[in-house]
């Protein structure tokens, strides 16, 4: 196996669709800031992330070097674009379009995987492929239904995706750690970029006062602090953990760390972006319940995801980040009582404090 495979430009191009996907999910949550909206976003994102992450596995096993592979990647990219376009009304008139796009994405993914020269990889996809296709069919059928039946089908698709490893062994190939970690790191960057974009969208049409500019900079500082939590060595330690894992354990670590744990990591960023979008509109007054809790819960969920990530790979202590997650939730009270601006500042300080504590813990003890 070639362990020097790096993320290619076609993969970077492919990931641009994810920017739009995150934007659409954020907009959906902004338009429906309640329990139903959160549930819709969770089901849509859970199903989309399974297949989007599946393409990271695909290009890790079958690098898209040949022209035909790149062309098929572009077809899959088109399918994801249709999926993203359909997200705002995926539970309504755009449900069929979502299902068709998702079916294209799934078919291309399975077909490309079967082109692998590794027999064990092909066998693994023969086991997993039918589950993915059944899930795509469920989502397509959901587009023709409504109300309780539709919710049941969406939930069944979500459960089937994320429970399939329990009945379909993940083994079959060894994940190339450097490429895999780099690809997922880029996805985190893309998602964090959406939280910055949300600030920009929120200030459009408003007079750029000093307070608004300060709030926007604080939003950027918060995004930067969240970036620091992952990219200050977390990605490098993850790569080492995958490299050092035995062949039988390597794909399972990849699945749980970059699949299951990344659900709250990326989902938290979506929730944070929705809160940021609303918070900057009325930065200098007490926040309403939705943006205050979206800001707090978004950061807390992101941190819980990173805690799960560490727990799977055993790459660092868990307590400091759990403490920061708890502190993030408390800031919702600041937003509700004081202002969104002060809450964003408090969130940034809480995360930075966590970074400083972790930095201190990593420093070697002075020789006695």
């Amino acid at each position: 196996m070639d362990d020097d495979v790096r993320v290619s430009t076609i993969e970077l191009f492919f990931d641009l669709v994810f920017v739009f996907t995150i934007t659409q999910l954020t907009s959906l949550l902004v338009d429906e800031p309640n329990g139903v909206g959160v549930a819709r976003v969770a089901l849509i994102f859970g199903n989309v992330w399974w297949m989007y992450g599946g393409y990271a596995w695909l290009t890790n096993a079958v690098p898209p070097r040949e022209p035909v592979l790149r062309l098929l990647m572009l077809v899959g990219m088109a399918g994801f674009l249709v999926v993203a376009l359909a997200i705002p009304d995926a539970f309504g008139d755009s449900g069929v379009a979502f299902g068709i796009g998702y079916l294209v994405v799934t078919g291309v993914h399975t077909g490309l995987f079967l082109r692998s020269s590794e027999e064990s990889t092909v066998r693994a996809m023969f086991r997993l492929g039918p589950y993915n296709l059944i899930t795509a069919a469920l989502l397509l059928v959901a587009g023709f239904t409504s109300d309780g039946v539709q919710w049941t089908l969406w939930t069944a698709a979500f459960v089937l995706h994320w429970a399939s490893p329990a009945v379909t062994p993940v083994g079959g190939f060894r994940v190339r750690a450097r490429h895999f970690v780099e690809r997922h790191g880029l996805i985190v960057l893309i998602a964090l970029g959406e939280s910055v974009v949300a600030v920009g969208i929120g200030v459009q049409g408003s007079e750029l006062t000093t307070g608004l500019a300060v709030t926007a900079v604080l939003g950027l500082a918060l995004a930067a602090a969240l970036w620091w939590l992952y990219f200050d060595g977390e990605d490098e330690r993850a790569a080492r953990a995958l490299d050092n894992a035995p062949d039988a354990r390597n794909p399972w670590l990849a699945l749980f760390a970059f699949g299951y744990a990344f659900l709250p990591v990326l989902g938290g960023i979506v929730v944070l972006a929705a809160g940021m979008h609303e918070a900057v509109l009325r930065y200098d007054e007490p926040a309403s319940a939705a943006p205050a809790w979206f800001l707090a819960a978004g950061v807390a969920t992101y941190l819980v995801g990173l805690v799960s990530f560490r727990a799977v790979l055993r790459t660092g202590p868990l307590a400091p980040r759990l403490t920061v997650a708890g502190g993030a939730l408390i800031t919702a009270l600041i937003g509700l009582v004081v202002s969104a601006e002060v809450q964003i500042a408090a969130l940034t300080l809480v995360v930075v404090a966590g970074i400083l504590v972790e930095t201190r813990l990593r420093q070697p003890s002075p020789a006695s």
Side-chain angles (χ1 to χ4, degrees), residues 313-334:
L313 297 174
R314 299 179 181 177
T315 53
L318 309 182
R321 294 194 169 184
L322 283 173
T323 302
V324 174
L329 287 175
I330 294 173
T331 67
L333 301 177
I334 297 175

Side-chain angles (χ1 to χ4, degrees), residues 44-66:
I44 294 171
F45 178 65
N47 282 293
V48 170
W49 173 240
W50 175 268
M51 286 309 305
Y52 213 95
Y55 272 78
W57 285 75
L58 167 65
T59 53
N60 190 268
V62 189
R65 293 166 176 156
E66 302 173 15

Side-chain angles (χ1 to χ4, degrees), residues 221-311:
L222 177 57
L226 298 180
W227 165 85
W228 195 291
L229 283 173
Y230 182 78
F231 289 98
D232 187 30
E234 197 74 29
D235 51 341
E236 296 172 2
R237 291 187 289 272
R240 286 196 297 271
L242 289 179
D243 269 334
N244 295 334
D247 287 349
R249 184 169 172 75
N250 168 273
W252 283 102
L253 286 179
L255 172 66
F256 281 96
F258 293 94
Y260 292 96
F262 257 52
L263 264 176
V265 168
L266 298 175
I269 296 173
V270 171
V271 175
L272 170 64
M276 199 75 73
H277 178 279
E278 293 298 286
V280 296
L281 292 175
R282 290 177 290 275
Y283 66 92
D284 57 349
E285 59 187 62
S288 57
W293 284 108
F294 282 169
L295 286 170
V299 173
T301 303
Y302 176 85
L303 281 154
V304 168
L306 290 183
V307 168
S308 303
F309 186 82
R310 277 190 170 180

